[in-house]
Amino acid sequence: MIGCIIQARMGSSRLPGKVMMELKKSKPSLYYVIKQHEFCNQIDKIVVATTNLQDDDIIEKYVDELNVECFRGNPTNVLDRFYHCAKKYSFSTIVRITADNPFNDPNLVDNVIQKFNSHDFDYITNSRPRTFPQGISVEVFSFEALEISWKNARLPSEKEHVTPYIYNNPDKFKIYNYSHHTDISHLRFTIDRKNDYELSKKIALNIEKLPITLNDILNLFEKD
């Protein structure tokens, strides 16, 4: 089973609570993250993986309202949270998504999953090196690669960011980077700072459709 695990938390040093900040009336950033990936044809199940901290009760409550599964786990060891989430739902392939990217393109996600399935890869990303904009990001990896990481990761960075053990050990894993036909990595559609949030609100207000694709945003930038 191909599972999309969206990691989300209220705690953020630069922009606390950003995942629940509204981009349009009653539609927070997390709404867009979930809805965008519901358009993926290659994903069997979506789960939001948040922490077991009380601050993140709001995330579980909101996710339940959207009829999406919520998994709660370790607040600092995100690798552990992902491993136990994937194990609980018997995911053989994991699509890792972060909740600060409200406009991730489902077409890209499907293409990366298809590439993963058509070859004997352990891990695919579109950001090493990055040619897509910040905020248009996807990682796909096997449960086996995740389990090896969970058993062997020792560095704090390997536990906090889930996949560093994989891409830092290319001799142990078959790795592929999915590139855009032109380098547009200078563009930024993620939400990490206040100005990112303001831009994301403008994108959400000006594109009245779902899903919002990368081409939709690029066309909006050309016009305005």
Side-chain angles (χ1 to χ4, degrees):
M1 180 185 288
I2 299 175
C4 174
I5 302 179
I6 300 170
Q7 67 182 72
R9 65 187 179 102
M10 292 299 287
S12 170
S13 58
R14 285 181 289 268
L15 194 61
K18 61 186 178 182
V19 299
M20 292 303 297
M21 292 168 67
E22 290 188 357
L23 300 186
K24 288 174 74 171
K25 185 175 175 59
S26 302
K27 292 180 179 177
S29 176
L30 185 56
Y31 169 87
Y32 284 90
V33 179
I34 292 171
K35 291 300 177 182
Q36 289 282 106
H37 294 93
E38 285 181 346
F39 284 93
C40 291
N41 296 315
Q42 300 294 317
I43 289 172
D44 297 313
K45 191 176 190 64
I46 294 174
V47 179
V48 173
T50 191
T51 82
N52 51 25
L53 298 176
Q54 188 175 354
D55 286 351
D56 291 320
D57 289 353
I58 187 175
I59 290 177
E60 182 175 23
K61 183 176 183 295
Y62 182 72
V63 169
D64 285 345
E65 290 171 1
L66 295 180
N67 294 315
V68 174
E69 297 271 357
C70 184
F71 178 89
R72 302 188 71 165
N74 196 303
T76 55
N77 188 338
V78 191
L79 173 59
D80 183 76
R81 197 192 315 165
F82 262 69
Y83 173 73
H84 287 290
C85 178
K87 191 172 183 179
K88 176 181 177 179
Y89 292 101
S90 301
F91 293 155
S92 57
T93 300
I94 296 94
V95 180
R96 178 179 178 244
I97 300 297
T98 57
D100 49 5
N101 297 338
F103 308 119
N104 207 28
D105 192 327
N107 298 319
L108 166 68
V109 176
D110 275 344
N111 289 340
V112 173
I113 294 171
Q114 286 177 327
K115 186 76 174 179
F116 181 88
N117 287 336
S118 63
H119 294 76
D120 188 28
F121 294 122
D122 298 305
Y123 171 81
I124 291 186
T125 182
N126 70 323
S127 60
R128 302 189 65 82
R130 176 173 290 283
T131 53
F132 286 84
Q134 289 276 349
I136 308 295
S137 302
V138 60
E139 292 176 295
V140 180
F141 45 92
S142 66
F143 179 80
E144 289 77 11
L146 177 62
E147 188 166 52
I148 290 169
S149 301
W150 180 74
K151 289 179 177 177
N152 293 281
R154 296 292 179 267
L155 299 175
S157 60
E158 293 173 340
K159 297 177 181 181
E160 181 186 356
H161 300 293
V162 184
T163 53
Y165 183 84
I166 298 175
Y167 57 71
N168 287 335
N169 290 279
D171 56 320
K172 297 180 181 179
F173 303 99
K174 192 171 181 183
I175 295 170
Y176 182 83
N177 188 71
Y178 192 96
S179 300
H180 195 263
H181 55 85
T182 57
D183 186 350
I184 51 174
S185 59
H186 61 286
L187 297 173
R188 183 180 175 87
F189 310 135
T190 192
I191 300 179
D192 192 45
R193 301 184 290 261
K194 187 70 164 61
N195 60 331
D196 295 332
Y197 171 60
E198 296 300 330
L199 176 61
S200 294
K201 282 201 296 185
K202 289 181 179 178
I203 292 172
L205 288 168
N206 282 279
I207 302 177
E208 294 281 346
K209 64 183 277 289
L210 282 176
I212 296 172
T213 68
L214 175 56
N215 283 337
D216 292 331
I217 302 175
L218 295 177
N219 289 337
L220 176 64
F221 273 48
E222 282 188 19
K223 294 175 185 174
D224 186 4

